Amino acid sequence: MTHGSGPPTIAQALASAHALGLDRLDAQWLLGHVLQQGSAWLISHDDQPLAAADAQAFAALCQRRAAGEPLAYLVGQAGFHGLVLRVTPDVLVPRPDTETLVDWALDLLPTLPPAPSGLQPRGRPQVLDLGTGSGAIALAVAHRQVAALVTATDLSPAALAVAQANARVLGLALRWAQGAWWQALPPDTRFDLVLSNPPYIAAGDPHLPALRHEPQLALTPGGDGLGALRQIVAGAPAHMQPGGWLLLEHGWDQAAAVAQLLAAAGFSDIAHRADLAGHPRCTGGRWPGPNKQ
Ligand code: GLN
């Protein structure tokens, strides 16, 4: 659609974004971001002309989207498990598949920690998210399970700053630690539930070029893609409470390898959960303890 020499109307701007190859919803999000309006407003005002500066800003965002930048970076936010999270190129864009890991954690949490025998009340479960990025997993768990004491780590100080900003906006209090996997934590800290969505894409995987706008640190450990998962499982026995669970997200074809790592490290009750596409996307195990439920 052409719109002569003047600035386009909202409808015309959206149509030219679509002609550029943008998904209609992405175009609506981008224009809504420029105008600070929701999609209902856009639709009901679609014959309104854009101010020249807005038309220019929108066209620039459309070019970047067409060149492959994730929508979440362009609008600065992403939805995850019912929360709106701030995201920047310092963090991986939260994926709907990772909600599988959160759902599994929320299913297990009411069973943790193992109830002490007798009349003692249950303590607050200690939850850990290793490599938290935007904070998606840690914040979703803390939001849904207020009794949980959630600690989140990341190697990247810039990522931790994004996660902490998200926690502030959501009014959630978490503990934070910077460092590589378990090295972020004092040696004697133990957890009832450990969660991680580590980098797991193998070096040279054909999907990597399409993910070039996201931090490579969060996507690939290099090699066969299992390096970070190996490090997490290897360090876990020193940090698990008896009866605690370790749940890991991994690649669609890594479930058997991760199950093997968990079994070799001494975990029991090893199980998988499928993602939205039906791939076994998460694998977890229980650290042996006296209070099996
Ligand atoms: N699930 C992401 C993807 O395939 C990868 C995330 C990760 O490596 N942890 O795009």
Side-chain angles (χ1 to χ4, degrees), residues 97-123:
D97 285 338
T98 303
E99 296 181 1
T100 296
L101 193 74
V102 172
D103 288 338
W104 195 358
L106 293 173
D107 288 347
L108 284 173
L109 265 168
T111 74
L112 298 171
S117 56
L119 298 171
Q120 263 178 294
R122 283 166 184 247

PDB file of all heavy atoms in Angstrom, residues 97-123:
ATOM      1  N   ASP A  97       8.768 -22.306  26.222  1.00  0.00           N
ATOM      2  CA  ASP A  97       9.150 -23.681  26.609  1.00  0.00           C
ATOM      3  C   ASP A  97       9.665 -23.738  28.043  1.00  0.00           C
ATOM      4  O   ASP A  97       9.522 -24.765  28.720  1.00  0.00           O
ATOM      5  CB  ASP A  97      10.237 -24.212  25.669  1.00  0.00           C
ATOM      6  CG  ASP A  97       9.684 -24.588  24.302  1.00  0.00           C
ATOM      7  OD1 ASP A  97       8.460 -24.829  24.217  1.00  0.00           O
ATOM      8  OD2 ASP A  97      10.454 -24.632  23.341  1.00  0.00           O
ATOM      9  N   THR A  98      10.281 -22.658  28.499  1.00  0.00           N
ATOM     10  CA  THR A  98      10.852 -22.654  29.846  1.00  0.00           C
ATOM     11  C   THR A  98       9.765 -22.612  30.922  1.00  0.00           C
ATOM     12  O   THR A  98      10.011 -22.928  32.094  1.00  0.00           O
ATOM     13  CB  THR A  98      11.848 -21.473  29.967  1.00  0.00           C
ATOM     14  OG1 THR A  98      12.832 -21.638  28.944  1.00  0.00           O
ATOM     15  CG2 THR A  98      12.540 -21.421  31.314  1.00  0.00           C
ATOM     16  N   GLU A  99       8.539 -22.255  30.521  1.00  0.00           N
ATOM     17  CA  GLU A  99       7.427 -22.313  31.487  1.00  0.00           C
ATOM     18  C   GLU A  99       7.204 -23.752  31.958  1.00  0.00           C
ATOM     19  O   GLU A  99       6.694 -23.981  33.059  1.00  0.00           O
ATOM     20  CB  GLU A  99       6.160 -21.728  30.861  1.00  0.00           C
ATOM     21  CG  GLU A  99       6.319 -20.238  30.549  1.00  0.00           C
ATOM     22  CD  GLU A  99       5.080 -19.596  29.952  1.00  0.00           C
ATOM     23  OE1 GLU A  99       4.062 -20.308  29.798  1.00  0.00           O
ATOM     24  OE2 GLU A  99       5.131 -18.394  29.654  1.00  0.00           O
ATOM     25  N   THR A 100       7.597 -24.722  31.120  1.00  0.00           N
ATOM     26  CA  THR A 100       7.516 -26.145  31.510  1.00  0.00           C
ATOM     27  C   THR A 100       8.315 -26.396  32.789  1.00  0.00           C
ATOM     28  O   THR A 100       7.864 -27.105  33.699  1.00  0.00           O
ATOM     29  CB  THR A 100       8.100 -27.019  30.372  1.00  0.00           C
ATOM     30  OG1 THR A 100       7.287 -26.869  29.223  1.00  0.00           O
ATOM     31  CG2 THR A 100       8.163 -28.475  30.761  1.00  0.00           C
ATOM     32  N   LEU A 101       9.520 -25.790  32.854  1.00  0.00           N
ATOM     33  CA  LEU A 101      10.387 -25.974  34.024  1.00  0.00           C
ATOM     34  C   LEU A 101       9.739 -25.338  35.262  1.00  0.00           C
ATOM     35  O   LEU A 101       9.745 -25.917  36.351  1.00  0.00           O
ATOM     36  CB  LEU A 101      11.755 -25.338  33.741  1.00  0.00           C
ATOM     37  CG  LEU A 101      12.879 -25.679  34.709  1.00  0.00           C
ATOM     38  CD1 LEU A 101      13.379 -27.097  34.476  1.00  0.00           C
ATOM     39  CD2 LEU A 101      14.051 -24.706  34.558  1.00  0.00           C
ATOM     40  N   VAL A 102       9.163 -24.151  35.074  1.00  0.00           N
ATOM     41  CA  VAL A 102       8.504 -23.453  36.195  1.00  0.00           C
ATOM     42  C   VAL A 102       7.299 -24.261  36.686  1.00  0.00           C
ATOM     43  O   VAL A 102       7.095 -24.422  37.898  1.00  0.00           O
ATOM     44  CB  VAL A 102       8.079 -22.031  35.765  1.00  0.00           C
ATOM     45  CG1 VAL A 102       7.218 -21.377  36.838  1.00  0.00           C
ATOM     46  CG2 VAL A 102       9.311 -21.181  35.456  1.00  0.00           C
ATOM     47  N   ASP A 103       6.512 -24.774  35.742  1.00  0.00           N
ATOM     48  CA  ASP A 103       5.325 -25.552  36.134  1.00  0.00           C
ATOM     49  C   ASP A 103       5.728 -26.789  36.936  1.00  0.00           C
ATOM     50  O   ASP A 103       5.064 -27.149  37.918  1.00  0.00           O
ATOM     51  CB  ASP A 103       4.523 -25.978  34.896  1.00  0.00           C
ATOM     52  CG  ASP A 103       3.810 -24.794  34.260  1.00  0.00           C
ATOM     53  OD1 ASP A 103       3.581 -23.789  34.960  1.00  0.00           O
ATOM     54  OD2 ASP A 103       3.501 -24.873  33.054  1.00  0.00           O
ATOM     55  N   TRP A 104       6.802 -27.427  36.512  1.00  0.00           N
ATOM     56  CA  TRP A 104       7.297 -28.618  37.226  1.00  0.00           C
ATOM     57  C   TRP A 104       7.724 -28.210  38.642  1.00  0.00           C
ATOM     58  O   TRP A 104       7.375 -28.865  39.634  1.00  0.00           O
ATOM     59  CB  TRP A 104       8.452 -29.243  36.446  1.00  0.00           C
ATOM     60  CG  TRP A 104       8.813 -30.638  36.851  1.00  0.00           C
ATOM     61  CD1 TRP A 104       8.249 -31.378  37.858  1.00  0.00           C
ATOM     62  CD2 TRP A 104       9.814 -31.469  36.253  1.00  0.00           C
ATOM     63  NE1 TRP A 104       8.851 -32.616  37.919  1.00  0.00           N
ATOM     64  CE2 TRP A 104       9.806 -32.692  36.945  1.00  0.00           C
ATOM     65  CE3 TRP A 104      10.713 -31.293  35.197  1.00  0.00           C
ATOM     66  CZ2 TRP A 104      10.675 -33.741  36.614  1.00  0.00           C
ATOM     67  CZ3 TRP A 104      11.569 -32.340  34.866  1.00  0.00           C
ATOM     68  CH2 TRP A 104      11.547 -33.543  35.568  1.00  0.00           C
ATOM     69  N   ALA A 105       8.463 -27.105  38.727  1.00  0.00           N
ATOM     70  CA  ALA A 105       8.902 -26.611  40.036  1.00  0.00           C
ATOM     71  C   ALA A 105       7.703 -26.312  40.938  1.00  0.00           C
ATOM     72  O   ALA A 105       7.696 -26.669  42.129  1.00  0.00           O
ATOM     73  CB  ALA A 105       9.752 -25.356  39.853  1.00  0.00           C
ATOM     74  N   LEU A 106       6.681 -25.685  40.375  1.00  0.00           N
ATOM     75  CA  LEU A 106       5.506 -25.329  41.186  1.00  0.00           C
ATOM     76  C   LEU A 106       4.734 -26.574  41.625  1.00  0.00           C
ATOM     77  O   LEU A 106       4.126 -26.585  42.695  1.00  0.00           O
ATOM     78  CB  LEU A 106       4.590 -24.373  40.404  1.00  0.00           C
ATOM     79  CG  LEU A 106       5.190 -22.979  40.144  1.00  0.00           C
ATOM     80  CD1 LEU A 106       4.282 -22.165  39.226  1.00  0.00           C
ATOM     81  CD2 LEU A 106       5.440 -22.231  41.457  1.00  0.00           C
ATOM     82  N   ASP A 107       4.785 -27.628  40.803  1.00  0.00           N
ATOM     83  CA  ASP A 107       4.156 -28.896  41.205  1.00  0.00           C
ATOM     84  C   ASP A 107       4.905 -29.530  42.374  1.00  0.00           C
ATOM     85  O   ASP A 107       4.304 -30.119  43.271  1.00  0.00           O
ATOM     86  CB  ASP A 107       4.137 -29.890  40.034  1.00  0.00           C
ATOM     87  CG  ASP A 107       3.131 -29.504  38.960  1.00  0.00           C
ATOM     88  OD1 ASP A 107       2.291 -28.623  39.243  1.00  0.00           O
ATOM     89  OD2 ASP A 107       3.196 -30.068  37.854  1.00  0.00           O
ATOM     90  N   LEU A 108       6.242 -29.414  42.345  1.00  0.00           N
ATOM     91  CA  LEU A 108       7.049 -30.080  43.382  1.00  0.00           C
ATOM     92  C   LEU A 108       7.083 -29.297  44.695  1.00  0.00           C
ATOM     93  O   LEU A 108       7.180 -29.886  45.774  1.00  0.00           O
ATOM     94  CB  LEU A 108       8.490 -30.270  42.893  1.00  0.00           C
ATOM     95  CG  LEU A 108       8.725 -31.388  41.893  1.00  0.00           C
ATOM     96  CD1 LEU A 108      10.162 -31.341  41.372  1.00  0.00           C
ATOM     97  CD2 LEU A 108       8.466 -32.756  42.548  1.00  0.00           C
ATOM     98  N   LEU A 109       7.013 -27.966  44.593  1.00  0.00           N
ATOM     99  CA  LEU A 109       7.257 -27.144  45.786  1.00  0.00           C
ATOM    100  C   LEU A 109       6.389 -27.481  46.994  1.00  0.00           C
ATOM    101  O   LEU A 109       6.891 -27.511  48.122  1.00  0.00           O
ATOM    102  CB  LEU A 109       7.147 -25.659  45.434  1.00  0.00           C
ATOM    103  CG  LEU A 109       8.500 -25.036  45.111  1.00  0.00           C
ATOM    104  CD1 LEU A 109       8.323 -23.664  44.485  1.00  0.00           C
ATOM    105  CD2 LEU A 109       9.362 -24.925  46.367  1.00  0.00           C
ATOM    106  N   PRO A 110       5.091 -27.747  46.787  1.00  0.00           N
ATOM    107  CA  PRO A 110       4.285 -28.056  47.974  1.00  0.00           C
ATOM    108  C   PRO A 110       4.750 -29.318  48.704  1.00  0.00           C
ATOM    109  O   PRO A 110       4.409 -29.521  49.863  1.00  0.00           O
ATOM    110  CB  PRO A 110       2.872 -28.248  47.413  1.00  0.00           C
ATOM    111  CG  PRO A 110       2.889 -27.556  46.095  1.00  0.00           C
ATOM    112  CD  PRO A 110       4.289 -27.663  45.576  1.00  0.00           C
ATOM    113  N   THR A 111       5.549 -30.154  48.032  1.00  0.00           N
ATOM    114  CA  THR A 111       6.041 -31.385  48.679  1.00  0.00           C
ATOM    115  C   THR A 111       7.393 -31.149  49.352  1.00  0.00           C
ATOM    116  O   THR A 111       7.978 -32.072  49.898  1.00  0.00           O
ATOM    117  CB  THR A 111       6.192 -32.531  47.657  1.00  0.00           C
ATOM    118  OG1 THR A 111       7.345 -32.276  46.836  1.00  0.00           O
ATOM    119  CG2 THR A 111       4.968 -32.668  46.783  1.00  0.00           C
ATOM    120  N   LEU A 112       7.918 -29.924  49.284  1.00  0.00           N
ATOM    121  CA  LEU A 112       9.260 -29.633  49.789  1.00  0.00           C
ATOM    122  C   LEU A 112       9.214 -28.584  50.887  1.00  0.00           C
ATOM    123  O   LEU A 112       8.375 -27.698  50.811  1.00  0.00           O
ATOM    124  CB  LEU A 112      10.145 -29.098  48.657  1.00  0.00           C
ATOM    125  CG  LEU A 112      10.373 -30.058  47.497  1.00  0.00           C
ATOM    126  CD1 LEU A 112      11.081 -29.331  46.368  1.00  0.00           C
ATOM    127  CD2 LEU A 112      11.181 -31.257  47.925  1.00  0.00           C
ATOM    128  N   PRO A 113      10.120 -28.539  51.824  1.00  0.00           N
ATOM    129  CA  PRO A 113      11.061 -29.612  52.061  1.00  0.00           C
ATOM    130  C   PRO A 113      10.338 -30.790  52.684  1.00  0.00           C
ATOM    131  O   PRO A 113       9.206 -30.642  53.154  1.00  0.00           O
ATOM    132  CB  PRO A 113      12.038 -28.992  53.056  1.00  0.00           C
ATOM    133  CG  PRO A 113      11.225 -27.985  53.779  1.00  0.00           C
ATOM    134  CD  PRO A 113      10.216 -27.475  52.796  1.00  0.00           C
ATOM    135  N   PRO A 114      10.973 -31.944  52.688  1.00  0.00           N
ATOM    136  CA  PRO A 114      10.322 -33.095  53.303  1.00  0.00           C
ATOM    137  C   PRO A 114       9.842 -32.728  54.700  1.00  0.00           C
ATOM    138  O   PRO A 114      10.588 -32.127  55.460  1.00  0.00           O
ATOM    139  CB  PRO A 114      11.431 -34.143  53.354  1.00  0.00           C
ATOM    140  CG  PRO A 114      12.403 -33.723  52.306  1.00  0.00           C
ATOM    141  CD  PRO A 114      12.333 -32.232  52.218  1.00  0.00           C
ATOM    142  N   ALA A 115       8.614 -33.040  54.991  1.00  0.00           N
ATOM    143  CA  ALA A 115       8.061 -32.686  56.300  1.00  0.00           C
ATOM    144  C   ALA A 115       8.843 -33.400  57.395  1.00  0.00           C
ATOM    145  O   ALA A 115       9.038 -34.600  57.326  1.00  0.00           O
ATOM    146  CB  ALA A 115       6.604 -33.100  56.360  1.00  0.00           C
ATOM    147  N   PRO A 116       9.326 -32.638  58.383  1.00  0.00           N
ATOM    148  CA  PRO A 116       9.992 -33.311  59.492  1.00  0.00           C
ATOM    149  C   PRO A 116       8.959 -34.143  60.259  1.00  0.00           C
ATOM    150  O   PRO A 116       7.777 -33.797  60.272  1.00  0.00           O
ATOM    151  CB  PRO A 116      10.525 -32.179  60.357  1.00  0.00           C
ATOM    152  CG  PRO A 116      10.100 -30.899  59.713  1.00  0.00           C
ATOM    153  CD  PRO A 116       9.164 -31.215  58.594  1.00  0.00           C
ATOM    154  N   SER A 117       9.423 -35.210  60.863  1.00  0.00           N
ATOM    155  CA  SER A 117       8.469 -36.027  61.607  1.00  0.00           C
ATOM    156  C   SER A 117       8.034 -35.289  62.865  1.00  0.00           C
ATOM    157  O   SER A 117       8.673 -34.327  63.285  1.00  0.00           O
ATOM    158  CB  SER A 117       9.122 -37.351  61.965  1.00  0.00           C
ATOM    159  OG  SER A 117      10.303 -37.088  62.677  1.00  0.00           O
ATOM    160  N   GLY A 118       6.943 -35.663  63.419  1.00  0.00           N
ATOM    161  CA  GLY A 118       6.477 -35.027  64.654  1.00  0.00           C
ATOM    162  C   GLY A 118       5.714 -33.752  64.353  1.00  0.00           C
ATOM    163  O   GLY A 118       5.118 -33.600  63.294  1.00  0.00           O
ATOM    164  N   LEU A 119       5.736 -32.826  65.295  1.00  0.00           N
ATOM    165  CA  LEU A 119       4.865 -31.664  65.214  1.00  0.00           C
ATOM    166  C   LEU A 119       5.551 -30.436  64.619  1.00  0.00           C
ATOM    167  O   LEU A 119       4.955 -29.381  64.507  1.00  0.00           O
ATOM    168  CB  LEU A 119       4.346 -31.314  66.618  1.00  0.00           C
ATOM    169  CG  LEU A 119       3.510 -32.413  67.260  1.00  0.00           C
ATOM    170  CD1 LEU A 119       3.208 -32.085  68.725  1.00  0.00           C
ATOM    171  CD2 LEU A 119       2.190 -32.601  66.495  1.00  0.00           C
ATOM    172  N   GLN A 120       6.840 -30.598  64.236  1.00  0.00           N
ATOM    173  CA  GLN A 120       7.572 -29.438  63.725  1.00  0.00           C
ATOM    174  C   GLN A 120       6.922 -28.891  62.466  1.00  0.00           C
ATOM    175  O   GLN A 120       6.551 -29.651  61.570  1.00  0.00           O
ATOM    176  CB  GLN A 120       8.982 -29.882  63.342  1.00  0.00           C
ATOM    177  CG  GLN A 120      10.004 -29.616  64.407  1.00  0.00           C
ATOM    178  CD  GLN A 120      11.346 -30.127  63.945  1.00  0.00           C
ATOM    179  OE1 GLN A 120      11.528 -31.330  63.790  1.00  0.00           O
ATOM    180  NE2 GLN A 120      12.240 -29.226  63.702  1.00  0.00           N
ATOM    181  N   PRO A 121       6.790 -27.582  62.348  1.00  0.00           N
ATOM    182  CA  PRO A 121       6.249 -27.027  61.107  1.00  0.00           C
ATOM    183  C   PRO A 121       7.261 -27.161  59.980  1.00  0.00           C
ATOM    184  O   PRO A 121       8.459 -27.297  60.219  1.00  0.00           O
ATOM    185  CB  PRO A 121       6.040 -25.549  61.451  1.00  0.00           C
ATOM    186  CG  PRO A 121       7.014 -25.260  62.542  1.00  0.00           C
ATOM    187  CD  PRO A 121       7.208 -26.550  63.304  1.00  0.00           C
ATOM    188  N   ARG A 122       6.763 -27.132  58.761  1.00  0.00           N
ATOM    189  CA  ARG A 122       7.656 -27.138  57.615  1.00  0.00           C
ATOM    190  C   ARG A 122       8.444 -25.840  57.549  1.00  0.00           C
ATOM    191  O   ARG A 122       7.918 -24.784  57.861  1.00  0.00           O
ATOM    192  CB  ARG A 122       6.846 -27.238  56.327  1.00  0.00           C
ATOM    193  CG  ARG A 122       6.335 -28.620  56.060  1.00  0.00           C
ATOM    194  CD  ARG A 122       5.267 -28.580  54.982  1.00  0.00           C
ATOM    195  NE  ARG A 122       4.730 -29.916  54.817  1.00  0.00           N
ATOM    196  CZ  ARG A 122       4.895 -30.643  53.714  1.00  0.00           C
ATOM    197  NH1 ARG A 122       5.532 -30.165  52.691  1.00  0.00           N
ATOM    198  NH2 ARG A 122       4.405 -31.854  53.643  1.00  0.00           N
ATOM    199  N   GLY A 123       9.684 -25.926  57.118  1.00  0.00           N
ATOM    200  CA  GLY A 123      10.465 -24.715  56.899  1.00  0.00           C
ATOM    201  C   GLY A 123      10.102 -24.115  55.552  1.00  0.00           C
ATOM    202  O   GLY A 123       9.262 -24.644  54.837  1.00  0.00           O
TER     203      GLY A 123
END
